[in-house]
Amino acid sequence: KALFIPTAAIDADAIEVLPKCMNDLLKCGILGKNIDVFDLHAGMEFEKLQQYDVVYLCGGNTHYLLERINATRFHKSLMEYINDNGLVIGVSAGSLIFSNNIEDFNEAYLLEIQGEKYNCVIIYYKFFFPLFLPLREFET
């Protein structure tokens, strides 16, 4: 079962890519009926989140995605999910939120964890690849 989060896709270009993102999950053998779309207009408790085998964070506007994650306090359940060996796939903005060096963030985008402020969710021990292009994209 997959949780598909298209929240970052707020402009036309990002919205246009959403079907391709959904197709990533379908090509992995996940049936459409087993994919729930969640747009981060509310939080989700860890107990509900842990029913998913994978969380797929789509690309788009990194700042907006991080703002929604923090505003809904989804970062707490997401971190708990990851620490419980949950699988998260982040595409573009969906992976950049896990970086600890996003530039141009102002105070509104800072995440506070145990009294320390960070500009995003920080995960040091997992690997995320913001942009991956097949080799044929680089061939001349």
Side-chain angles (χ1 to χ4, degrees):
K1 193 164 184 181
L3 185 64
F4 184 80
I5 302 177
T7 304
I10 60 173
D11 62 46
D13 290 338
I15 292 168
E16 185 178 323
V17 176
L18 287 177
K20 293 177 183 176
C21 293
M22 180 65 77
N23 198 41
D24 287 345
L25 294 173
L26 296 170
K27 286 191 308 188
C28 289
I30 301 172
L31 300 176
K33 68 180 183 176
N34 292 327
I35 301 172
D36 293 340
V37 177
F38 184 67
D39 203 19
L40 284 175
H41 290 296
M44 180 181 288
E45 296 298 320
F46 168 70
E47 293 75 25
K48 181 169 171 84
L49 187 58
Q50 73 182 125
Q51 75 181 357
Y52 295 98
D53 301 303
V54 63
V55 174
Y56 188 110
L57 292 157
C58 296
N61 186 305
T62 308
H63 292 202
Y64 181 72
L65 177 58
L66 186 57
E67 178 185 299
R68 296 307 314 145
I69 286 172
N70 289 331
T72 61
R73 306 186 59 78
F74 183 69
H75 65 280
K76 290 184 178 287
S77 54
L78 185 61
M79 289 298 294
E80 194 172 348
Y81 175 80
I82 290 168
N83 288 328
D84 193 44
N85 293 315
L87 176 63
V88 177
I89 298 172
V91 175
S92 195
S95 63
L96 289 174
I97 62 162
F98 294 100
S99 165
N100 66 350
N101 62 352
I102 298 175
E103 295 180 13
D104 300 326
F105 274 84
N106 62 32
E107 189 72 19
Y109 296 106
L110 293 177
L111 172 64
E112 189 166 330
I113 302 174
Q114 297 177 346
E116 292 195 43
K117 290 188 177 183
Y118 299 93
N119 64 348
C120 54
V121 176
I122 298 173
I123 299 171
Y124 296 105
Y125 51 90
K126 304 283 183 180
F127 295 100
F128 294 87
F129 299 92
L131 298 170
F132 172 80
L133 299 174
L135 282 177
R136 67 179 178 276
E137 300 276 338
F138 296 103
E139 295 175 358
T140 57

